[in-house]
Amino acid sequence: MPKEFVKKYIDLLALHKLNTFHWHLTEDQGWRLEIRQYPKLTEVGAWRKETLVGHQSRDRSQWQFDGKPHGGFYTQEDAREIVAYGKARFVTVMPEIEMPGHAMAAIAAYPELGVTGEPLEVATRWGIFSDILNAEPSTVQFMQNVLSEVLEIFPSRYIHIGGDEADKAKWKESPRIQARIRELGLANEDELQSWFIRQMDAFLTARDRRLVGWDEILEGGLAENAVVMSWRGTKGGIAAAREGHDVVMAPESHTYLNYYQAPDRATEPIAHPGLLPLERVYAFDPIPEDLEPQFARHVLGAQAQIWTEYLKGPKNVEYQAFPRLTALAEVVWTPKDRHDYQDYLARLAAHERRLQALDVSYRPVR
Ligand code: ACM
């Protein structure tokens, strides 16, 4: 996404009283932030040779690729500009650097980070891949060096290290990883993931920052100071809050704006398979009923997600975000007993005119 659009998006967040921009900067399909110590992360990792067209069929023989190289990244200067732009509008920019899974772009750039050491390509399609970082001290050091540069750019107290969807198959098969698990006195691959995250937690805590991770970081034991971002429902967030950890509620069921907003896919622009109508976003309750009141203070807030696999550019992002983000903003800032969907819809009519004036490609409520 162009830097100018990132700024417009921050303006829209500020307008809706949303105070944090979670910036997912690394993935299997691209590494998007300049890291000076490791130039290949962007020379190699920011580029893929082509991209899957349309949804990914179960049948591989149906897959079509566009044959067009795609890539790009933000320089550290760009990122600093975005941080300052956010700060001026009271929006904190929280970066995410994914580990140990969803790191194929990094492994493509530096194969020694992977389990086999063999070269691989930046991913050209979506999903969960079995490629994963190894658990060598040099790899931990590498990621901490990356984080050192990230901390210089992003003053955010919260730093996201991903942690989701780390496929452990390669760890299971690798004699070297199995030896590492024994060497570290761990029971299994889940504990190895937890060990990896703890290395980052200690690193960030020593620098007066706080680690945030997706709820998979609960598996194998939660790092001491970690904040859990609960995406697979609110269960992980509830478990972490009961253990005294802070959490952010970001459940797929109510806050994944990359999903379709209407059931008829034929008349909607391509989106992530899944359905999240406006009304369901409005029904979101960031403090789940089954969380005992004494733990409610651990819910730092809630977050909506817009993964951009299927979103070619700014207009597509705006369409997925609006009006659903207005519903999210309202329900997270309004006491529950005052949530009123019909009243919201009546007010939305006026708000749609505001979005129009701001040149936002929202989905009209029909
Ligand atoms: C996620 O959607 N994998 C956090």
Side-chain angles (χ1 to χ4, degrees):
M1 296 294 154
K3 185 172 64 177
E4 288 314 310
F5 175 64
V6 178
K7 291 182 181 172
K8 180 181 181 187
Y9 196 74
I10 287 173
D11 277 325
L12 290 168
L13 295 183
L15 185 70
H16 293 89
K17 210 172 160 178
L18 298 170
N19 59 13
T20 306
F21 173 51
H22 171 179
W23 205 4
H24 185 76
L25 285 162
T26 73
E27 250 304 334
D28 295 314
Q29 300 81 9
W31 184 285
R32 301 274 174 253
L33 178 68
E34 174 192 20
I35 299 295
R36 297 199 171 139
Q37 191 176 347
Y38 301 115
K40 285 199 281 186
L41 285 173
T42 45
E43 283 166 17
V44 174
W47 305 91
R48 61 176 180 260
K49 68 173 191 225
E50 58 185 359
T51 303
L52 184 79
V53 177
H55 290 133
Q56 186 163 299
S57 161
R58 278 180 209 281
D59 174 6
R60 279 176 176 254
S61 70
Q62 301 291 311
W63 291 356
Q64 271 186 36
F65 292 85
D66 63 6
K68 287 186 222 142
H70 175 88
F73 63 91
Y74 304 95
T75 63
Q76 295 199 354
E77 204 177 314
D78 290 334
R80 284 202 168 86
E81 198 180 315
I82 298 289
V83 167
Y85 193 88
K87 184 165 194 267
R89 289 154 183 80
F90 302 95
V91 173
T92 301
V93 181
M94 175 181 68
E96 177 180 355
I97 303 293
E98 274 268 19
M99 61 189 94
H102 285 303
M104 274 173 84
I107 301 171
Y110 295 95
E112 63 270 29
L113 298 173
V115 174
T116 62
E118 280 161 27
L120 56 81
E121 291 187 343
V122 176
T124 57
R125 59 186 182 87
W126 323 118
I128 301 175
F129 298 86
S130 64
D131 294 285
I132 183 168
L133 299 179
N134 63 40
E136 298 301 326
S138 55
T139 296
V140 168
Q141 184 68 55
F142 184 105
M143 295 314 288
Q144 291 179 342
N145 291 344
V146 167
L147 288 179
S148 287
E149 290 194 29
V150 166
L151 299 188
E152 289 286 314
I153 303 165
F154 297 93
S156 169
R157 177 160 163 69
Y158 298 95
I159 303 288
H160 205 303
I161 54 69
D164 59 318
E165 299 178 325
D167 185 323
K168 314 288 189 323
K170 283 214 161 69
W171 279 1
K172 283 203 171 80
E173 290 159 13
S174 158
R176 172 65 195 151
I177 294 284
Q178 292 304 314
R180 245 347 238 147
I181 288 176
R182 286 191 297 276
E183 205 174 289
L184 294 165
L186 305 172
N188 54 35
E189 294 76 23
D190 281 348
E191 286 196 7
L192 186 63
Q193 154 141 333
S194 167
W195 172 85
F196 196 103
I197 302 299
R198 279 177 210 268
Q199 307 309 301
M200 302 303 147
D201 182 40
F203 178 86
L204 291 172
T205 301
R207 285 153 188 81
D208 204 24
R209 307 293 183 103
R210 291 188 67 195
L211 176 145
V212 184
W214 299 108
D215 59 69
E216 286 91 332
I217 66 170
L218 280 150
E219 294 158 11
L222 192 50
E224 285 61 33
N225 308 295
V227 174
V228 169
M229 192 168 270
S230 195
W231 74 279
R232 297 175 302 175
T234 52
K235 220 170 64 225
I238 291 172
R242 284 181 181 147
E243 285 181 36
H245 287 258
D246 287 344
V247 305
V248 177
M249 293 302 188
E252 259 187 304
S253 56
H254 292 76
T255 67
Y256 269 45
L257 307 184
N258 42 302
Y259 290 156
Y260 283 93
Q261 35 201 328
D264 183 5
R265 291 189 188 175
T267 57
E268 287 293 305
I270 186 166
H272 214 110
L275 177 64
L276 178 56
L278 181 62
E279 188 164 5
R280 180 129 46 92
V281 178
Y282 197 89
F284 176 50
D285 180 8
I287 314 273
E289 303 237 305
D290 28 3
L291 181 65
E292 298 77 4
Q294 70 268 32
F295 301 120
R297 69 189 163 86
H298 287 302
V299 181
L300 298 179
Q303 178 177 281
Q305 283 59 239
I306 306 190
W307 302 96
T308 52
E309 283 95 320
Y310 299 100
L311 308 180
K312 271 209 177 315
K315 292 290 160 204
N316 308 80
V317 173
E318 290 174 7
Y319 185 88
Q320 293 302 118
F322 293 100
R324 290 184 293 185
L325 204 50
T326 68
L328 183 101
E330 176 154 320
V331 296
V332 295
W333 282 114
T334 308
K336 204 178 165 193
D337 60 359
R338 287 177 44 213
H339 293 189
D340 181 338
Y341 186 61
Q342 291 311 321
D343 187 66
Y344 158 80
L345 279 183
R347 285 177 285 110
L348 186 55
H351 200 70
E352 282 185 308
R353 291 198 290 280
R354 242 173 254 137
L355 292 171
Q356 258 167 39
L358 291 165
D359 189 29
V360 173
S361 293
Y362 65 94
R363 181 180 191 276
V365 174
R366 299 171 250 231

